[in-house]
Amino acid sequence: MHPLPADAVIDLHTHSLHSDGTEPPATLVRQAADAGVDVLALTDHDVVTGWAEADVAGREAGVLVVPGIEVSCSWRGVSVHLLAYLPDPDDEALARELAASRHSRDSRLQVMVERLAADGYPVSYAEVLAGAGDDASLGRPHIADVLVRNGVYSTRDQAFADVLSSRSPYYVTHAAPDPVRATELVVAAGGAAVLAHPFAAKRGRTVTDDVVATMAEAGLAGLEVDHRDHGPREREHAATLAARLGLLRTGSSDYHGTGKENRLAENTTSPEVLEAILGRASGTPLLGAVG
C-alpha cells in the first residue's frame, strides 16, 4: 500500500445489504467516492460475503477498501459490537462463532416478529426475509424496514427509538460470544480488533471500563471514540480510557444507507491510526492501494 496522504478521508465502519445496510457493496463504495472518502472499511455484521464486490468497486472508484466484520458480542445481556479489520475469514474458530451468531440472529428475529404481530403490528417473518438479501446477516433493521414500508414509522431510527429498542418488551437477545473471547478470536485470526461505539448509552446498557481493560489485555487495538451515538461526554470518556489503556482512537460513520441519519465520513480516522491498525493485522491481504 502506498503511504496515505495526510488529508486522506478514512471511514472505518459501514454496512451493505449483506447485513443491515440498504445498498450493495459496489454502490456503497461509489457513494463513498462521491462523498470524498479515500479509505472505506466494509464491516457487515458477522459476514464477509461483501468483501470481493467492494474491493472490485474500490479499484474502479479509487477507494481503498479495508475488509472488516462487525462481530456481535454479548456481556451480561448487553449487546457489544467488535470491529474486526483484516481477519482471516477462513479461520475455523472465528468462522464457527460467526455462523453461530448468524443462526441465533435468525431465530431471535422470528420471535420478535411474532411478538409484534401478536400485538397488531403489520409485520411478518416472510416480509422480513423478503426484504433481506439471500446473503444478508439478519438484524433488527430488517424488521424496521417492514414497519416503515407498512406505514408504522417514517424511518428506521424511529422504529429503533420505539419497539425495536433494547428496552422494548418486544426485544429478544441472541447468543453471541463474550467480547473478551471475541477479541481473542479476532486476534488469533490475524485481525485488528476495535470496540465499536463502546459508550452509546442511547442504544441501551453499555460495558464497563473494566471489561474494556480486560479486552485490551486480550489484544484489543482501539476504541471507536468519534461516533454519532457518542455525545461530548461519551467521547471524552472513551478518549480518556483509550489513552489510559494505550488503545488507538478511531472515528467513523456507521453508515447504513437510507433510513438512518448517519452520513458517510461524518466521523473519520486519522491516517496514522489506520496505518497502526493495518500494522496489527495479518489475516487478510489488503489488495487495493491509494496513491
Side-chain angles (χ1 to χ4, degrees):
M1 185 185 83
H2 297 300
L4 292 167
D7 60 351
V9 177
I10 301 166
D11 191 338
L12 293 182
H13 185 174
T14 68
H15 298 273
S16 77
L17 53 67
H18 284 257
S19 62
D20 54 356
T22 60
E23 306 296 341
T27 302
L28 169 64
V29 172
R30 288 192 292 269
Q31 290 176 338
D34 291 342
V37 174
D38 299 298
V39 182
L40 185 81
L42 177 62
T43 52
D44 281 320
H45 293 279
D46 302 320
V47 295
V48 301
T49 47
W51 285 7
E53 180 183 333
D55 182 67
V56 171
R59 292 168 181 272
E60 295 173 349
V63 175
L64 175 64
V65 174
V66 177
I69 311 167
E70 188 166 13
V71 182
S72 304
C73 310
S74 180
W75 174 76
R76 297 183 181 178
V78 176
S79 178
V80 183
H81 293 170
L82 185 69
L83 296 165
Y85 299 111
L86 294 165
D88 177 3
D90 296 321
D91 179 85
E92 184 176 347
L94 178 60
R96 184 168 55 246
E97 199 65 63
L98 295 177
S101 291
R102 291 194 301 271
H103 176 73
S104 179
R105 276 176 172 273
D106 294 355
S107 57
R108 160 264 197 143
L109 241 63
Q110 189 164 3
V111 174
M112 290 184 67
V113 167
E114 290 171 353
R115 290 181 179 181
L116 286 162
D119 277 356
Y121 285 91
V123 59
S124 69
Y125 194 58
E127 288 178 287
V128 172
L129 292 177
D134 292 339
D135 295 325
S137 176
L138 293 176
R140 285 177 291 165
H142 295 113
I143 300 178
D145 289 344
V146 175
L147 294 173
V148 169
R149 283 197 299 273
N150 290 339
V152 181
Y153 301 101
S154 298
T155 65
R156 280 182 171 184
D157 286 340
Q158 289 180 0
F160 268 81
D162 192 16
V163 295
L164 299 183
S165 164
S166 62
R167 300 179 179 91
S168 164
Y170 302 106
Y171 180 77
V172 177
T173 59
H174 63 93
D178 174 273
V180 175
R181 172 60 178 158
T183 301
E184 293 171 342
L185 287 171
V186 170
V187 173
V194 172
L195 182 57
H197 42 70
F199 304 119
K202 64 175 64 177
R203 292 170 171 246
R205 293 187 298 133
T206 62
V207 295
T208 65
D209 289 3
D210 287 343
V211 172
V212 179
T214 305
M215 293 174 70
E217 293 173 358
L220 185 71
L223 296 183
E224 188 181 52
V225 174
D226 297 311
H227 185 281
R228 171 179 284 267
D229 291 343
H230 279 177
R233 181 178 301 177
E234 289 80 16
R235 293 187 188 214
E236 181 180 3
H237 178 189
T240 300
L241 183 61
R244 178 166 67 84
L245 297 176
L247 299 174
L248 300 168
R249 171 178 174 164
T250 72
S252 40
S253 66
D254 198 358
Y255 180 72
H256 285 73
T258 59
K260 300 192 76 170
E261 295 181 356
N262 308 52
R263 300 273 67 88
L264 285 162
E266 65 180 26
N267 293 292
T268 59
T269 296
S270 73
E272 294 79 14
V273 168
L274 174 60
E275 289 177 359
I277 288 173
L278 298 180
R280 296 182 62 157
S282 60
T284 296
L286 191 62
L287 301 178
V290 170

